Amino acid sequence: MESSRTVVRAVTAQLVVSRTCSQPLCMRLRYEPADPYVVRAAFFVHSDEPVEWVLGRDLLADGLNGCAGHGDVRIWSAANRGDPAMYIALGSRAGTALVEVPVHDVKTFLERTETVVPRGTEAGIDWDAELAYLLSQS
């Protein structure tokens, strides 16, 4: 699901409960050029109302190649060990969660975001054109 401006990808992930137990989890990644540094990750857990986290697009991309982040959000890939997954550790006052996501899905999503706004060109966005586009959608 993708418009010429917004990139959205549904991903089947796993909520890691323990070393031997995980639970399927629906995850939706969303990128909008109006907020070019951000990827919104919505997690659907036992309800229609998702839990949403805001991730840096660069942080997600850096996590494909190694460990990235600190504090509330940490991301790393296990692809170099033959595991086709990357892991997203999320923490808050309410608790922590470890999510296993297929590397291929995240990589494909990020490649699509870069066709909309290439990394490194975020500051060069024509905000007048973006505003005109957004206003034309209402």
Side-chain angles (χ1 to χ4, degrees):
M1 167 188 310
E2 181 178 340
S3 75
S4 63
R5 299 282 184 193
T6 301
V7 179
V8 178
R9 182 164 182 115
V11 177
T12 300
Q14 296 289 322
L15 177 63
V16 178
V17 179
S18 70
R19 287 186 181 269
T20 59
C21 180
S22 62
Q23 178 179 7
L25 176 69
C26 293
M27 177 175 152
R28 182 185 63 223
L29 298 171
R30 181 179 186 90
Y31 178 80
E32 297 183 27
D35 201 357
Y37 295 101
V38 169
V39 169
R40 297 185 184 283
F43 301 94
F44 295 84
V45 185
H46 304 300
S47 76
D48 292 334
E49 285 297 314
V51 174
E52 186 174 271
W53 281 77
V54 177
L55 308 173
R57 179 170 70 156
D58 286 344
L59 177 69
L60 197 55
D62 291 346
L64 286 173
N65 300 315
C67 295
H70 61 280
D72 293 345
V73 179
R74 294 183 324 272
I75 301 172
W76 66 95
S77 172
N80 62 351
R81 296 187 311 230
D83 182 351
M86 68 184 303
Y87 295 87
I88 302 172
L90 305 168
S92 74
R93 283 180 254 152
T96 61
L98 179 60
V99 180
E100 179 182 316
V101 186
V103 168
H104 175 75
D105 290 341
V106 175
K107 185 175 182 178
T108 301
F109 170 79
L110 288 172
E111 288 169 351
R112 289 183 181 154
T113 70
E114 290 194 34
T115 65
V116 175
V117 179
R119 282 179 72 193
T121 66
E122 294 91 349
I125 291 176
D126 181 349
W127 292 108
D128 292 331
E130 286 299 322
L131 180 59
Y133 170 78
L134 291 172
L135 292 174
S136 73
Q137 298 301 304
S138 49

